Amino acid sequence: MKKIKFASLLLFAPLALCAACGGGIQKTEIQTNWYRNTALGDDIEGTREVLEYAITMSSSTPHNGLTAEYTDGVCTMTLTNAPIGLDASTKEGYVLETKQTMNVKFYFDGKTTDALTDTVTSRVEFLPVGDNLKPVSSTKTWHNYVPVEAPATFAACYTEYHYTYTTEYDDALTKATVTYTDLMPDEEGNKPEPVVSEREVDGKTTFLDNEQILFALRGMNFALSSPTFRTLSTTMLTVQTVSLRETAKEVTENVSFERNGEPYAEENLAAYEVRLGFGGNIGQGRTVVIAKKTKDTDNVNRNVPLRIETPLVRSLGVLRYTLKKATFSEK
């Protein structure tokens, strides 16, 4: 169970939000702002979008004598449409795949580890906006090197983890089946048996799989409200009502990336800054800067996430994701 507990702390953890309380919560409306024509609705045939981000370590803080250095980070997100298998039928929906890699070195007791490579991949299938992006299934695999809380020796300053979570939802979105698979063999080369758990997810508010939250933010109208929805924590096996940490701010962002094969730069691109956090206002939060919609029928930047900042495990620093290349659907 130690590995399961650590999953929520990893630097590539999903963009989970803080638990929220209160009544009168309304269903979150989502529009297809990831298209040039934002009113396409369920007309998703021909969808293909690829976003590429450079990941850098924007700040570093020692923890119990240990320091980390993350370099050469790359994140690629690919969105396509495809037939999605349901319990008793098939429906056209979305497939969002993400792959992230980054090298890391740990410094402790005057020594430095060799360069290690963290890798995280995910795949989530979900339905169009007519079904409020209802998730069907998701899979996420981690292979990471995680610094220990209080290292006693240089040789034991980090632990290797390699595991997968797979989540399947029923058509009514009332139940989730979560399978945890430890991919690290024991000393004899044997791998543990998968652990399967079921949880009820029924409720009246919008439900999103953790792996689609960042994508779904693009379709939310921050000018009208502060969105609220539910998600399943695979590490805690609980359904949480979640919300933004604070009201989204209108900001401008200096950007420079390749857009559909052409160089694109803007010094003051209109955007929303969205802050996410764990446990209310306690601890560090994540920041997502999302391009603001231009025109409903000519949304050239597709509400794309321009920059993401996320804290590292053990508060060892902050990682910054910066958009470098965007290949948008022509629709």
Side-chain angles (χ1 to χ4, degrees):
M1 298 299 292
K2 182 179 179 182
K3 290 183 175 64
I4 297 177
K5 182 178 179 181
F6 261 111
S8 63
L9 301 175
L10 297 179
L11 64 97
F12 290 126
L15 291 169
L17 312 182
C18 59
C21 301
I25 298 173
Q26 301 297 317
K27 184 177 180 180
T28 298
E29 294 187 6
I30 300 174
Q31 190 175 28
T32 52
N33 295 337
W34 43 89
Y35 295 127
R36 188 161 192 156
N37 181 354
T38 65
L40 286 173
D42 288 358
D43 178 14
I44 67 173
E45 185 177 355
T47 296
R48 180 169 176 79
E49 177 185 88
V50 182
L51 307 178
E52 298 180 17
Y53 293 83
I55 313 173
T56 57
M57 192 171 185
S58 61
S59 67
S60 177
T61 305
H63 179 78
N64 288 335
L66 185 145
T67 303
E69 179 184 35
Y70 289 88
T71 59
D72 304 317
V74 177
C75 174
T76 302
M77 304 177 187
T78 303
L79 176 73
T80 55
N81 67 289
I84 304 298
L86 306 175
D87 290 344
S89 63
T90 300
K91 186 171 183 177
E92 198 71 12
Y94 291 111
V95 177
L96 178 62
E97 297 176 288
T98 301
K99 181 176 181 180
Q100 304 179 94
T101 60
M102 176 164 276
N103 294 332
V104 59
K105 291 182 179 180
F106 297 111
Y107 299 83
F108 183 74
D109 196 25
K111 302 176 183 178
T112 307
T113 66
D114 293 335
L116 308 166
T117 301
D118 281 342
T119 302
V120 181
T121 60
S122 68
R123 175 187 173 95
V124 57
E125 299 182 354
F126 52 98
L127 300 183
V129 293
D131 291 287
N132 219 36
L133 301 186
K134 183 171 71 175
V136 176
S137 65
S138 70
T139 299
K140 189 163 189 174
T141 301
W142 288 262
H143 193 175
N144 291 68
Y145 300 86
V146 180
V148 302
E149 168 62 26
T153 65
F154 170 74
C157 70
Y158 69 85
T159 305
E160 181 180 4
Y161 295 95
H162 191 191
Y163 55 92
T164 293
Y165 277 107
T166 299
T167 306
E168 302 281 346
Y169 302 96
D170 65 342
D171 285 358
L173 200 56
T174 60
K175 182 181 69 175
T177 302
V178 181
T179 303
Y180 166 74
T181 306
D182 189 346
L183 302 176
M184 290 288 291
D186 58 24
E187 294 180 356
E188 297 179 353
N190 301 314
K191 295 180 181 179
E193 291 295 320
V195 178
V196 181
S197 304
E198 290 189 355
R199 287 294 183 272
E200 294 183 358
V201 297
D202 56 321
K204 297 181 179 179
T205 57
T206 297
F207 183 93
L208 298 170
D209 185 272
N210 231 319
E211 301 313 308
Q212 66 178 138
I213 289 177
L214 178 62
F215 174 78
L217 289 175
R218 298 167 64 181
M220 299 180 187
N221 190 338
F222 301 113
L224 294 180
S225 63
S226 182
T228 299
F229 47 91
R230 294 169 298 133
T231 193
L232 174 69
S233 168
T234 52
T235 58
M236 302 300 293
L237 292 178
T238 58
V239 174
Q240 299 174 326
T241 298
V242 298
S243 63
L244 304 186
R245 185 166 182 171
E246 59 184 40
T247 303
K249 299 178 182 178
E250 292 191 47
V251 298
T252 58
E253 186 82 355
N254 295 337
V255 300
S256 177
F257 61 93
E258 182 181 304
R259 187 177 68 182
N260 283 0
E262 299 291 335
Y264 171 73
E266 187 76 42
E267 289 188 1
N268 295 291
L269 182 66
Y272 280 108
E273 182 179 276
V274 180
R275 295 197 67 222
L276 319 174
F278 293 95
N281 290 320
I282 300 173
Q284 292 178 288
R286 288 178 170 86
T287 299
V288 184
V289 177
I290 301 172
K292 194 174 181 179
K293 185 195 299 185
T294 49
K295 299 178 181 179
D296 287 339
T297 57
D298 191 23
N299 190 30
V300 293
N301 286 316
R302 279 77 163 183
N303 287 50
V304 68
L306 303 167
R307 173 170 54 87
I308 306 163
E309 294 188 356
T310 182
L312 285 163
V313 63
R314 311 294 184 210
S315 299
L316 282 168
V318 175
L319 292 182
R320 174 176 293 172
Y321 296 59
T322 304
L323 182 64
K324 291 299 181 183
K325 185 176 181 180
T327 303
F328 294 125
S329 294
E330 292 300 322
K331 304 180 70 164

